[in-house]
Structure formats: C-alpha cells, structure tokens
C-alpha cells in the first residue's frame, strides 16, 4: 500500500477504492439533484411561457365577470344587455371556464344564499356613486383574499360581484355594473394575476375544481364557504370605517 493510500485509509477509515466509490456516489447523487432541479425549473418556466400575458388575464377576468353578472341578472328576471366589446378574447377560450364558474357559483350560492343577496344592504351603501361601489367591492375582495388565494375564493368574489350588480340594476343604476366589472379587473391585475400565471391561466379552474373526485369537491367547497367569515369581517370593518 502506498503512503498516500495509507494516509487516506488512516484519515477516512476506508480503502482507497471504497473512498472512490463513495465519492462517485455522492457526485452522482448531486448531479441527479441538479438534474431534477433543472427539470423542475424548466417545467415552471414552461408554465409561465404557456400562460397568457397579464393584460389578457385581466381582460379574460372582466369577460368572465360580465358573463357571470349577465347570468345572474337573467336568473333574477332582470333584462341587461352585455356590451359587444365584452368579447376581448376569443369566445372559445373562455366558454368552458365561464360555464365552470357559473356552475360552481350555483353551488356556492345554494349553500350560502343570504351572503350573496342584498349585498348593498349588507354593506349599508347607496349604489349611486362609483367611488362608494368601488370602495365597498374592493374592501370585500381584499378581505376575502387576506389569508391566501384559492379557486374557491375566486368563485366567491364573482358571486359577490353578481349579487352587487343585481342590487345596482334593481336600484336604477345599471351603469354601475360596468364599474363592478372594471373594479374586479383591477383587483385581478393587482392581486391575482401572478397566481393565475403560475397556474397556467383561467383554464386551470376546469382541471383543479371541476372534477368528479369527492375529495377535490370537498376541498374547494370548504375553501369557498370559509370566505363567509371574511365577508362578514369585511362588512363590519367597512361599516365601521364609514361611521
């Protein structure tokens, strides 16, 4: 045994060949970790590259809001015509998403009907002022998402928009519907757009929530119903601020 080999044996307590194998295994493990990290990073980048740009995500959010409000107004027996400019994105892209959003909204509103009715009355606001309507909607939206973002909370946000829009039209202020749509779009731009990009866009709701798996359905419903507490809290603080 050479002096170098003897020294290595005395230091590491393993034969030279064993040490070489050990180092080889360590290097292989590190390379495998780097490779997996690179693959994960590439997958993340691919999702971002596939995602629509921020401006398009906001435009789609507003188009979905118009669809949701239009559906709720029709259900309430109120006539309201969506403007033609609502179709900022190809309709085929959002048809499935809009249908999913409406279906999930139906379930949520069935569970908590009083939460999404007479929203203006709950907030104790008049709907004749754009600033009042915007401030009230943003106060509720901010509180709903104060503890994080989920698809359940997104559905709840649209349900609030639908309920408030019905109040506006019933009180002779149909123009306020556009204020609500613009306000939701601005909230999405400031708060939700990065989260949406990470998930690949609005179409993710059809994969993550609209599923026959009971555990997934339970998860989104619990997440959505839990927004009731945030809604009540937002109403309380909004009323307190207005006094």
């Amino acid at each position: 045994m050479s002096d170098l080999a003897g020294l290595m044996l005395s230091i590491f307590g393993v034969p030279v060949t064993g040490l070489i194998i050990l180092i080889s295994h360590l290097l292989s493990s590190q390379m495998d970790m780097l490779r997996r990290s690179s693959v994960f990073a590439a997958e993340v980048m691919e999702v971002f590259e596939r995602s629509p740009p921020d401006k398009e995500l906001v435009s789609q959010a507003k188009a979905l809001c118009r669809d949701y409000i239009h559906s709720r107004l029709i259900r309430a027996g109120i006539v309201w015509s969506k403007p033609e400019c609502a179709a900022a994105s190809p309709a085929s892209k959002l048809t499935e998403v809009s249908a999913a959003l409406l279906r999930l909204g139906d379930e949520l509103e069935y569970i908590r009907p009083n939460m999404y009715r007479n929203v203006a009355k709950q907030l104790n606001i008049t709907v004749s002022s754009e600033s009042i309507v915007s401030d009230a909607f943003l106060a509720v939206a901010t509180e709903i998402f104060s503890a994080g973002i989920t698809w359940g909370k997104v559905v709840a946000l649209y349900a609030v928009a639908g309920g408030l829009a019905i109040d506006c039209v019933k009180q002779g202020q149909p123009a306020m519907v556009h204020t609500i749509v613009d306000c939701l779009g601005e909230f999405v731009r400031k708060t939700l757009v990065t989260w949406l990009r990470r998930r690949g866009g609005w179409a993710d709701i059809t994969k993550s929530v609209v599923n026959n798996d009971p555990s997934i359905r339970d998860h989104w419903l619990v997440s959505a119903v839990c927004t009731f507490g945030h809604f009540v809290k937002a109403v309380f603080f909004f009323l307190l601020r207005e006094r």
Side-chain angles (χ1 to χ4, degrees), residues 135-170:
D135 288 350
F137 182 78
L138 286 174
V140 174
T142 301
E143 187 56 45
I144 286 175
F145 291 93
S146 61
I149 306 171
T150 66
W151 277 122
K153 293 180 180 181
V154 172
V155 176
L157 180 66
Y158 276 81
V160 171
L164 186 56
I166 289 175
D167 293 341
C168 290
V169 177
K170 280 184 174 180

Side-chain angles (χ1 to χ4, degrees), residues 109 112-119 122 228 231:
E109 292 172 37
R112 290 283 189 184
N114 294 330
M115 178 175 172
Y116 305 106
R117 293 176 187 167
N118 302 313
V119 175
Q122 293 184 63
F228 177 71
F231 179 82

Side-chain angles (χ1 to χ4, degrees), residues 2-37:
S2 68
D3 293 340
L4 178 60
L7 178 63
M8 294 177 71
L9 179 60
S10 65
I11 294 173
F12 297 103
V14 293
V16 176
T17 53
L19 183 63
I20 292 173
I21 293 172
L22 178 62
I23 292 172
S24 176
H25 279 310
L26 287 172
L27 289 173
S28 176
S29 176
Q30 289 178 342
M31 290 300 294
D32 187 52
M33 288 177 63
L34 287 171
R35 182 186 62 78
R36 282 183 291 177
S37 297

Side-chain angles (χ1 to χ4, degrees), residues 52-216:
D54 293 2
K55 186 176 180 180
E56 185 176 346
L57 288 171
V58 172
S59 178
Q60 290 173 344
K62 293 169 71 173
L64 289 168
C65 188
R66 292 187 188 96
D67 281 347
Y68 197 99
I69 289 173
H70 189 234
S71 171
R72 292 303 179 255
L73 289 171
I74 290 175
R75 190 174 67 183
I78 301 170
V79 178
W80 182 75
S81 299
K82 287 188 299 177
E84 293 300 323
C85 62
S89 312
S92 58
K93 276 188 176 184
L94 291 183
T95 300
E96 188 178 358
V97 176
S98 182
L101 195 58
L102 288 167
R103 186 160 67 252
L104 295 170
D106 284 341
E107 294 186 40
L108 186 59
E109 292 172 37
Y110 177 78
I111 295 171
R112 290 283 189 184
N114 294 330
M115 178 175 172
Y116 305 106
R117 293 176 187 167
N118 302 313
V119 175
K121 183 178 180 181
Q122 293 184 63
L123 292 170
N124 194 29
I125 62 171
T126 60
V127 296
S128 57
S129 166
E130 287 188 11
S131 61
I132 291 177
V133 172
S134 297
D135 288 350
F137 182 78
L138 286 174
V140 174
T142 301
E143 187 56 45
I144 286 175
F145 291 93
S146 61
I149 306 171
T150 66
W151 277 122
K153 293 180 180 181
V154 172
V155 176
L157 180 66
Y158 276 81
V160 171
L164 186 56
I166 289 175
D167 293 341
C168 290
V169 177
K170 280 184 174 180
Q171 295 180 35
Q173 298 291 341
M176 291 300 166
V177 171
H178 307 295
T179 299
I180 295 169
V181 171
D182 290 340
C183 200
L184 183 141
E186 185 63 13
F187 183 81
V188 168
R189 185 186 69 80
K190 290 183 176 179
T191 308
L192 305 183
V193 78
T194 301
W195 182 82
L196 285 167
R197 287 195 67 202
R198 285 175 181 163
R199 303 194 72 89
W202 287 97
D204 181 70
I205 194 173
T206 63
K207 296 178 288 184
S208 300
V209 181
V210 183
N211 193 300
N212 292 325
D213 185 344
S215 64
I216 294 178

